[in-house]
Amino acid sequence: MFPVPEVDPKTVASIILGGGAGTRLFPLTKTRAKPAVPIGGCYRLIDVPMSNCINSGLNKIYILTQFNSQSLNRHIARTYNLGTGMNFGDGFVEVLAATQTPGESGKKWFQGTADAVRQFAWLFEDAKHRNIENILILCGDHLYRMDYMDFVQKHISSGADISVSSLPVDDSRASDFGLIKIDESGRIKQFLEKPKAADQISMRVDAAIQGLSAQDVKRFPYIASMGIYLFKTNVLLKLLRRDYPKANDFGSEVIPMAARDYHVQAYLFDGYWEDIGTIKSFFDANLALTDQNPKFHFYEPQKPIFTSPRYLPPTKIEKCQVIDSIISHGCFLRECSIQHSIVGVRSRLEYGVELKDTMMMGADYYQTEAERAAFLAEGKVPIGVGRDTKIRNCIIDKNARIGKNVVIANKGNVTEADRPSEGFYIRSGITVILKNSVIPDGSTI
C-alpha cells in the first residue's frame, strides 16, 4: 500500500447552508436568518463554521442564503471582507442568495439542502474551480470546534465517495437525528433520518467498532449524523443531476440512497457538538458557556472563533455582584446582580436589577446620556433594563427596552404563549423578549 499524500486545503471548497425559515427558533428568526442569530454575547452562529474553515486552512467558502438574509449578509461582509478583513490569498467568501435561473426548476425557491446545492452546482464546472476535488457541506446553526482537514484526510484515506461526520448518542437524543449503521471499517450500511421508535431499535450499534469501545457502545448505543457531509466533487454533481435529480434533501433522501449505491464512510467525531435548532437547545447551549468548566468555550488561542470587530470600550461595572456569567464588551452595569447569565454587547443594567438564568443579546447601538434623559423625562423606556427589574429564565433579544420595576419570571410555569403585541413569546417555558420591543414600567410577565 502506498501512503496517502497529505491533502492540500486548496482542493476543498466549503458550502455553508443558511437554513430554512427557522420556525423552531422563532421568534429569534423573525427578522434574521438562523446563522445570524447572536450567541455567546458577541458572536453569531455563522461565526462557528466560518472560523472552523479558517482555522482548518479552508479559504474557499460559499454561503447559501434564502430567508431573512440581510443581517447575515451584512455580518459576513463586515467580518470576512477580503479587502479589509482577513487575508484569504487565493480564497474567497461568497454569499449565494436563492435566485431565479433558466428552466422550470429555476423558478422555485430552494426546496431543501440538496436542491440548494443543485441550483448552484454549475459553479463547480467553472474552469477556475477545476482544482476543487472535494466539497464540504456545513450547517450554519451548530456549535462545535472541528479540524475539517482531519475529516478530509480520513475521507481520502478511506477511498470514500462520500463521508458523513457523526457522533455517538444515547437513547434520549437518538430520535432527533439521522442514525447510521456502520460495519467494522466504518462504512455506512444503512441511514435512517429521524426514525420512529420501532425503526430506531434496529439502528443500535451491536458491538465495539472502530473508534468506539464496548463501554462507549453501552452508554451511546446509536451513531448520529451531524449534518456535515464531504463529497468528491464529481460524485456530488452526478448524484444531484443524474442519479437523484428529484431528491431535495441530503439527510432524508440523498445520503440514504447513496449508501446503497456508493462508498459512504462515517467519520466519528469525539468533541463537543450541539445542534442549536430550537429555543430550548439555544438557551441551554448559551447558558452552558457560563459553567466553570464549560464543554465548549470561545477563547481557545490556537483556534479562535472570529466575529465582527466592533471596537467597543471595556465594560464598566459599578458595585455589582456577578456569579458564573459572561459579560461582553461595551456594557454599563450599575449596582446589579447577575447570576448564571450572558450579557451581550452594549447592554445596560440599572440599579437594583437582578438577572438570573438569562441570555441577554445586548444592543446594536448606544443611546447618548442626553437621549436617555429625554426618554425618561417623557416617561419613555430607554434601551436596556430599568431600575429594580427582576428577570429570570429569559432570552432578551437585541435593542429591547425593559422598564423599571418589571418582573419577568413566568411564575405560572406557562410552556407556550404568543404575545407579540406585548413584546414577548414563551417557548418551552422560556420567555423570549422580542427584538426592539418595549416592556413598560411595572409590567409582570
Side-chain angles (χ1 to χ4, degrees):
M1 280 286 286
F2 295 106
V4 177
E6 198 164 311
V7 186
D8 183 353
K10 290 179 179 174
T11 63
V12 182
S14 306
I15 298 175
I16 302 174
L17 300 169
T23 48
R24 294 184 306 152
L25 259 182
F26 185 88
L28 302 180
T29 50
K30 189 179 179 193
T31 57
R32 56 168 85 90
K34 260 197 296 189
V37 171
I39 186 171
C42 63
Y43 302 92
R44 291 179 186 258
L45 281 169
I46 189 72
D47 292 327
V48 173
M50 286 296 301
S51 301
N52 283 335
C53 284
I54 294 163
N55 293 330
S56 302
L58 301 178
N59 63 3
K60 296 179 171 71
I61 305 167
Y62 289 109
I63 298 140
L64 265 53
T65 66
Q66 176 162 290
F67 288 94
N68 282 342
S69 52
Q70 185 268 337
S71 65
L72 177 62
N73 296 348
R74 185 181 61 211
H75 178 74
I76 290 162
R78 280 180 183 168
T79 312
Y80 307 101
N81 183 321
L82 305 195
T84 57
M86 293 141 205
N87 181 11
F88 279 80
D90 64 344
F92 54 82
V93 176
E94 287 184 23
V95 176
L96 304 175
T99 182
Q100 289 202 334
T101 53
E104 197 54 45
S105 61
K107 293 192 176 78
K108 295 178 184 151
W109 288 106
F110 297 152
Q111 302 298 301
T113 52
D115 184 61
V117 174
R118 180 188 291 114
Q119 289 198 31
F120 281 101
W122 54 271
L123 278 168
F124 299 101
E125 294 166 330
D126 193 298
K128 72 175 181 176
H129 292 325
R130 64 186 179 279
N131 296 327
I132 292 177
E133 296 167 11
N134 291 283
I135 296 173
L136 179 64
I137 309 284
L138 304 166
C139 290
D141 58 350
H142 296 164
L143 184 61
Y144 64 109
R145 190 179 265 106
M146 184 178 188
D147 178 0
Y148 295 141
M149 284 313 293
D150 184 61
F151 183 23
V152 175
Q153 193 68 53
K154 297 241 171 68
H155 167 73
I156 304 285
S157 303
S158 70
D161 298 311
I162 305 163
S163 289
V164 178
S165 188
S166 53
L167 80 169
V169 294
D170 59 21
D171 280 297
S172 64
R173 300 179 72 196
S175 60
D176 296 337
F177 302 107
L179 299 181
I180 57 183
K181 202 91 186 264
I182 59 178
D183 64 18
E184 305 75 41
S185 66
R187 184 166 178 165
I188 295 176
K189 301 183 292 185
Q190 196 184 354
F191 186 109
L192 268 186
E193 182 73 1
K194 295 178 185 169
K196 300 282 182 284
D199 298 324
Q200 184 178 308
I201 301 297
S202 69
M203 300 302 286
R204 285 178 78 94
V205 178
D206 307 321
I209 46 168
Q210 196 176 348
L212 274 186
S213 67
Q215 208 173 355
D216 290 335
V217 167
K218 268 188 187 166
R219 284 173 58 219
F220 305 108
Y222 297 98
I223 298 174
S225 163
M226 295 162 62
I228 298 173
Y229 312 114
L230 187 59
F231 291 84
K232 283 182 180 172
T233 304
N234 61 334
V235 170
L236 179 63
L237 297 177
K238 219 185 322 179
L239 285 172
L240 295 179
R241 290 201 169 141
R242 192 195 71 190
D243 295 351
Y244 321 126
K246 298 278 189 244
N248 291 328
D249 191 68
F250 282 118
S252 59
E253 296 173 271
V254 173
I255 303 296
M257 291 191 285
R260 296 195 300 264
D261 306 331
Y262 289 85
H263 179 176
V264 184
Q265 192 77 10
Y267 168 80
L268 279 177
F269 179 65
D270 61 358
Y272 171 88
W273 175 86
E274 196 61 57
D275 180 0
I276 313 264
T278 64
I279 290 291
K280 178 92 170 76
S281 61
F282 173 81
F283 184 68
D284 291 344
N286 269 284
L287 292 193
L289 298 169
T290 69
D291 293 347
Q292 292 193 8
N293 292 303
K295 290 179 181 169
F296 181 90
H297 48 74
F298 284 94
Y299 47 84
E300 195 163 310
Q302 303 303 316
K303 297 175 180 175
I305 303 293
F306 301 100
T307 194
S308 174
R310 297 180 179 89
Y311 311 113
L312 291 170
T315 283
K316 189 164 191 299
I317 299 177
E318 298 172 8
K319 298 180 186 171
C320 298
Q321 184 185 44
V322 180
I323 301 168
D324 296 343
S325 295
I326 292 172
I327 312 294
S328 304
H329 26 285
C331 302
F332 292 89
L333 313 179
R334 290 193 175 133
E335 296 187 34
C336 55
S337 163
I338 301 165
Q339 191 176 341
H340 195 231
S341 295
I342 290 182
V343 178
V345 291
R346 303 187 192 90
S347 290
R348 192 158 188 143
L349 304 181
E350 295 298 338
Y351 302 95
V353 167
E354 290 178 16
L355 217 62
K356 189 178 179 188
D357 303 328
T358 291
M359 156 67 170
M360 183 173 183
M361 291 183 182
D364 291 317
Y365 58 93
Y366 285 122
Q367 284 181 312
T368 64
E369 290 302 326
E371 284 173 331
R372 292 181 66 82
F375 261 65
L376 290 166
E378 292 170 26
K380 292 180 182 172
V381 180
I383 284 187
V385 181
R387 281 179 173 236
D388 298 318
T389 285
K390 314 283 188 270
I391 301 173
R392 66 184 306 160
N393 210 42
C394 184
I395 297 171
I396 304 170
D397 207 335
K398 285 200 165 181
N399 310 328
R401 301 159 189 261
I402 300 174
K404 54 182 188 279
N405 298 307
V406 171
V407 176
I408 302 174
N410 187 15
K411 285 183 178 165
N413 294 322
V414 177
T415 51
E416 305 289 323
D418 295 7
R419 303 277 179 80
S421 61
E422 296 170 46
F424 72 93
Y425 285 76
I426 296 175
R427 291 287 180 268
S428 305
I430 300 153
T431 308
V432 184
I433 304 297
L434 294 174
K435 186 177 180 181
N436 301 321
S437 62
V438 179
I439 308 295
D441 296 347
S443 302
T444 298
I445 296 177

